[in-house]
């Protein structure tokens, strides 16, 4: 039998818990300063037509744009 919500709240457990978006959790990391890191796109296939310089640049990670940070942080609340 599941415990009632009032019993859990007395114990200090808050309900309901937020669900993490698992796709976002695999794609983004949050730094200690609160910035959100991401990988660059277009580096998985059809690489023959892309220049070496372009592919080298795509290897580097980067940060998410400031406008998108609140949305992503809502998707990964416990990261």
């Amino acid at each position: 039998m599941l415990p009632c919500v009032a019993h859990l709240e007395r114990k200090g457990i808050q309900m309901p818990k937020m669900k993490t978006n698992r796709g976002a959790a695999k794609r983004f990391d949050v730094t200690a300063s609160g910035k959100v890191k991401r990988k660059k796109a277009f580096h998985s296939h059809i690489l023959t037509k892309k220049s070496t310089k372009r592919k080298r640049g795509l290897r580097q990670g980067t940060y998410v744009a400031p406008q998108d940070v609140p949305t992503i942080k809502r998707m990964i609340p416990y990261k």
Side-chain angles (χ1 to χ4, degrees), residues 13-72:
I13 300 169
Q14 300 232 336
M15 294 197 50
K17 295 176 184 174
M18 287 181 67
K19 276 197 167 184
T20 298
N21 180 306
R22 298 310 296 161
K26 292 168 190 171
R27 288 172 173 83
F28 301 106
D29 283 314
V30 180
T31 64
S33 63
K35 293 180 183 175
V36 181
K37 293 194 304 185
R38 68 171 178 87
K39 290 193 65 123
K40 291 187 180 174
F42 307 111
H43 192 57
S44 59
H45 61 100
I46 315 176
L47 299 173
T48 51
K49 64 173 81 170
K50 295 170 188 157
S51 70
T52 308
K53 181 179 178 180
R54 182 175 167 193
K55 289 185 281 191
R56 193 166 52 243
L58 292 173
R59 272 187 236 143
Q60 316 303 320
T62 187
Y63 294 110
V64 170
Q67 303 89 319
D68 299 325
V69 170
T71 307
I72 292 167

